[in-house]
Amino acid sequence: MTTEVTLPSTSASPTTRQVWTRTRGVALALVLLLAAAIAIAVVRSDARHGELDPRSADPYGSRAVAELLAGRGVDTRVVTTLDEAAAAAAPDTTLLVAVPDLLTPGQQTRLHSAFIGSRGRTVLVSSGSASVERLAPGVTADPATSLDSTLSPDCDLPAARRAGTADTGGIRYTTTHLTADECYPSERLATLLRVPAPSGDGDTVLLGAPDILLNDRLDEHGNASLALQLLGSRPHLVWYLPSLADSSTASGEGERGFIDLLPSGWLWGTLQLFVAAALAAVWRARRLGPLVPEKLPVAIRASETVEGRARLYRKANARDRAAAALRSTTRTRLAPLVGVPTPQAHAPEALLPALSAHLNGDGQSLHTLLFGPPPGDDAALIQLADQLDALEREVRRP
């Protein structure tokens, strides 16, 4: 009675548990990174709510300076559209533009045309290279910002001399206007610039940083004095907060894409993530190099190795490779037995004549057996293995 023992099949594919074990570290890192990004975004969103808004009492709001101006008889009106800002230009009005760089080139040109002949005052807060050349022709923003926050006036502008030191350090400006007042210099470039209008009593004031207008910085140095003098020279103050919802941004020319509206910090953060991912891939990648032989920790029986390899061939339905391996091994073992050098064991013209002379058999049948086509099914493969085994036993028979 013959008992057939069925061994468990061997799978080369990793299990779900193995995949999770290998990737859980990366998954955990991604979850922590996403949670940190969300937390930072929430914190920054809460902290910056109402930034430079005269109605906001947040640390970055400007309600304190609006209240002080109201005590001096200056009424403050907040506008969020270009039409309202352009219509407000008048000799008795100070127009403050909170974030000039948010305006499109077309909006900047239109706003400049509205206030240039109004004989009023225009205050541009942190106007960078994206807006200063259109809103204040003849003025250029330096690419390098001031390293110091608190600076001394060092100019003849009465408002600056009365205020003394103030936190104006930010964007630095140069100008071709000979009559301009260049105040609070940082490395010889002004962080507060007053440019008189070509005609009349109007002027344009460029403020390199918004610090003197913020609630949490107003009581430091001469910030309050400077802010009140710059914004309180006329009885009316129009505080323009540019908004992306303004219908004038849909004019077509100069529209900004989604990438242009993203803060630079997020772009740098994304670049750093890509660099980190590349470094992690290099760190975890497979090293290609020469094979290094190592001793196995345990001895594996040859029968187990043969059985495992056979199962892999069977799973891949690779009868051709299995037959080629059986024939190649048989030829290698038969060649020395019939006097053929091992390097020529796989050459039919060298091996087959020697085998035919040794066995006195048919060379054509030997060629089909040792060099023939692959078997068509598993039964033919088993038959081939039996025939090769019988051939080797016959050659070895004395």
Side-chain angles (χ1 to χ4, degrees):
M1 181 177 181
T2 304
T3 302
E4 183 178 354
V5 180
T6 303
L7 297 177
S9 61
T10 303
S11 176
S13 302
T15 63
T16 304
R17 183 180 181 86
Q18 291 174 333
V19 172
W20 166 247
T21 302
R22 295 174 184 174
T23 60
R24 62 185 177 184
V26 177
L28 179 61
L30 291 176
V31 171
L32 292 177
L33 182 62
L34 180 61
I38 294 175
I40 292 174
V42 171
V43 170
R44 288 177 61 89
S45 176
D46 292 342
R48 295 282 180 170
H49 176 68
E51 181 179 4
L52 217 59
D53 191 328
R55 300 163 298 185
S56 173
D58 291 345
Y60 294 97
S62 300
R63 182 174 177 178
V65 69
E67 295 289 344
L68 292 177
L69 288 170
R72 296 166 62 98
V74 178
D75 66 277
T76 301
R77 181 165 64 96
V78 178
V79 298
T80 57
T81 65
L82 179 63
D83 293 337
E84 293 175 310
D92 60 347
T93 301
T94 298
L95 174 63
L96 182 144
V97 185
V99 192
D101 287 358
L102 284 182
L103 299 174
T104 65
Q107 289 177 311
Q108 295 166 13
T109 302
R110 181 181 170 189
L111 183 62
H112 177 260
S113 300
F115 69 69
I116 189 61
S118 65
R119 294 186 299 168
R121 167 169 287 183
T122 304
V123 178
L124 306 176
V125 182
S126 299
S127 181
S129 57
S131 61
V132 68
E133 294 181 0
R134 294 182 179 87
L135 293 175
V139 178
T140 304
D142 191 78
T145 58
S146 172
L147 298 178
D148 298 323
S149 174
T150 306
L151 301 170
S152 300
D154 197 18
C155 68
D156 296 330
L157 183 65
R161 295 179 66 86
R162 285 191 291 265
T165 58
D167 293 321
T168 60
I171 299 176
R172 306 183 305 166
Y173 301 103
T174 57
T175 181
T176 58
H177 296 279
L178 300 179
T179 58
D181 293 307
E182 303 179 47
C183 301
Y184 297 96
S186 172
E187 297 182 3
R188 294 180 295 181
L189 296 182
T191 58
L192 187 151
L193 187 67
R194 175 187 171 273
V195 180
S199 61
D201 299 330
D203 58 12
T204 300
V205 177
L206 294 100
L207 190 59
D211 295 19
I212 66 170
L213 306 176
L214 303 180
N215 292 331
D216 66 339
R217 304 291 293 274
L218 190 63
D219 60 343
E220 299 178 5
H221 310 293
N223 293 347
S225 174
L226 183 61
L228 294 177
Q229 293 181 82
L230 293 179
L231 304 183
S233 62
R234 287 158 175 81
H236 304 291
L237 171 63
V238 175
W239 201 294
Y240 179 26
L241 297 174
S243 171
L244 296 176
D246 190 352
S247 60
S248 63
T249 59
S251 59
E253 180 185 358
E255 287 189 16
R256 296 190 177 189
F258 175 75
I259 299 299
D260 297 328
L261 298 177
L262 286 178
S264 58
W266 286 102
L267 298 179
W268 279 109
T270 304
L271 177 61
Q272 291 174 3
L273 286 179
F274 277 112
V275 173
L279 293 177
V282 172
W283 169 51
R284 298 295 295 175
R286 178 175 295 177
R287 302 297 189 269
L288 300 178
L291 297 177
V292 179
E294 297 182 1
K295 293 183 178 180
L296 295 176
V298 294
I300 300 177
R301 291 184 297 176
S303 60
E304 295 182 2
T305 304
V306 172
E307 184 177 0
R309 187 170 183 178
R311 285 177 175 169
L312 291 175
Y313 279 137
R314 182 177 183 180
K315 184 177 181 179
N317 198 25
R319 284 186 295 271
D320 54 344
R321 296 186 180 182
L326 291 173
R327 284 168 168 160
S328 176
T329 303
T330 301
R331 293 194 299 265
T332 302
R333 290 199 295 258
L334 290 178
L337 299 178
V338 296
V340 176
T342 302
Q344 299 181 8
H346 308 292
E349 64 276 8
L351 180 63
L352 294 180
L355 279 175
S356 299
H358 186 81
L359 299 175
N360 296 322
D362 183 11
Q364 184 62 35
S365 61
L366 291 176
H367 185 277
T368 302
L369 180 60
L370 293 174
F371 297 95
D377 52 26
D378 291 345
L381 179 62
I382 295 174
Q383 183 180 4
L384 174 64
D386 292 339
Q387 291 175 351
L388 292 173
D389 188 49
L391 175 62
E392 186 174 350
R393 285 199 305 268
E394 186 177 356
V395 172
R396 291 181 181 276
R397 184 181 303 167

